[in-house]
Amino acid sequence: APPERREAVLREFHGRAVKGMRDPHANHVLQKLIALMAPGSLQFMVDELLEREGLATAVARHRYGGRIVQQLLKKCSASQVSGLAEALMQE
């Protein structure tokens, strides 16, 4: 898909990323977007995971969400995911 289309699909997940991470179909779309997009454009996913205490851990333990969290930790810069890593290590 052309970059504009990927950006449009990514925007559709803004505000809905955590729900998508737990969905048996949407998680595959998110995984593909993580693989294709620049780390900076994925920041909203990290931010959504940190909106509520315990959410990041709950998603990381989820059968689909865990894959997304793992890929975000691998793809994004240390400064982007330091809060996420800290939240995961607290529990």
Side-chain angles (χ1 to χ4, degrees), residues 30-43:
L30 286 170
Q31 288 183 62
K32 191 67 171 177
L33 288 168
I34 291 168
L36 295 172
M37 304 304 285
S41 63
L42 306 173
Q43 184 63 45

Side-chain angles (χ1 to χ4, degrees), residues 50-63:
L50 297 173
E51 281 178 357
R52 288 195 329 267
E53 193 169 330
L55 181 61
T57 303
V59 173
R61 290 182 177 147
H62 188 272
R63 81 189 268 190

Side-chain angles (χ1 to χ4, degrees), residues 15-26:
R16 302 182 193 98
V18 171
K19 186 175 182 183
M21 291 175 195
R22 294 175 167 159
D23 184 273
H25 306 291

